[in-house]
Amino acid sequence: MAVRLIVRTFSELCITVGTVIVLFVVYVMFWTGVQAESATAGQIDTLEQEWIDRPVPGTTAAAPPPKAYTTGKGIAVMYIPRLGRNWEWPVLEGTSTAILKKGLGHYAATARLGETGNFSVAGHRRTYGDPFKDFPRLRPGDAVVLTDGTTWYTYRVARTPYRTVPTDIGVIDPVPRRSGFDGPGRYLTLTTCEPEWGSSHRLIAWAHLDATQPVTQGKPPALTG
């Protein structure tokens, strides 16, 4: 009887543990994606409404000066055609865990979008919508397009993704180390975790600003070609 009780208890424990593991996998692979889809759509809707409410250049209302970025608030929308036809993600200010559940995050200590320096952005490789799941597919010349509602900024990837460790903060310097850039410029850095389901390393993609155009002229060639 004692042996039978032990076997039955152990079996029930295994079933319970197995159920918990399955539920956790479902949460990580499915539910976080559902949460991210809702959160990112809301962030993009909020940004687009703010852009609609801005004074139109040339009207009696003077265009306000650029606002300082606010932690947790959307600042731009990013498109990377290489990563998918419908790949579209909001960029928020900050890189905390809570912020990266809602979209991509801008490193607060780095340059503003389009300005001289290094506009640096982090994103999840897996979970919360898997924004950078296909990050290793990036190749030199690929377009990374952002808009802040007034201007389109088209950056071009400079090299294949670079693998490094999390403590290598020089990758987001104004002139990022190991990027191949040899002086000040208007740069973009993208960072994500490596390996795909881990975080022991980081993958880095560097890009340089290739072109800008007002949103009034329509989408840039990188998104319409």
Side-chain angles (χ1 to χ4, degrees), residues 4 39 65 78 90 161-162 196:
R4 184 179 299 176
M78 180 184 291
Y162 168 73
E196 190 170 341

Side-chain angles (χ1 to χ4, degrees), residues 26-164:
V26 170
Y27 171 78
V28 169
M29 297 189 67
F30 175 73
W31 185 243
T32 60
V34 172
Q35 291 177 309
E37 183 176 356
S38 175
T40 56
Q43 290 294 327
I44 291 175
D45 288 345
T46 298
L47 270 173
E48 290 178 344
Q49 187 59 53
E50 290 177 357
W51 297 341
I52 290 172
D53 293 340
R54 285 177 180 171
V56 177
T59 65
T60 54
K67 293 182 179 179
Y69 293 158
T70 302
T71 301
K73 300 296 184 181
I75 57 179
V77 178
M78 180 184 291
Y79 306 81
I80 305 181
R82 168 71 75 176
L83 301 186
R85 190 179 188 89
N86 298 314
W87 197 98
E88 176 186 30
W89 282 83
V91 180
L92 291 76
E93 178 69 358
T95 55
S96 69
T97 300
I99 289 171
L100 293 181
K101 290 179 179 180
K102 302 176 184 178
L104 308 177
H106 170 244
Y107 289 91
T110 67
R112 292 173 62 92
L113 178 59
E115 292 185 351
T116 297
N118 185 6
F119 181 77
S120 301
V121 175
H124 280 298
R125 181 85 175 275
R126 282 293 196 171
T127 70
Y128 295 101
D130 307 334
F132 283 151
K133 175 174 69 71
D134 295 322
F135 199 94
R137 295 179 54 203
L138 292 173
R139 293 295 180 267
D142 283 349
V144 181
V145 183
L146 295 103
T147 182
D148 60 3
T150 60
T151 305
W152 289 102
Y153 301 88
T154 300
Y155 291 82
R156 293 288 174 181
V157 174
R159 53 173 289 183
T160 54
Y162 168 73
R163 187 171 185 265
T164 188

Side-chain angles (χ1 to χ4, degrees), residues 161-173:
Y162 168 73
R163 187 171 185 265
T164 188
V165 294
T167 54
D168 184 8
I169 60 174
V171 298
I172 62 172
D173 281 350

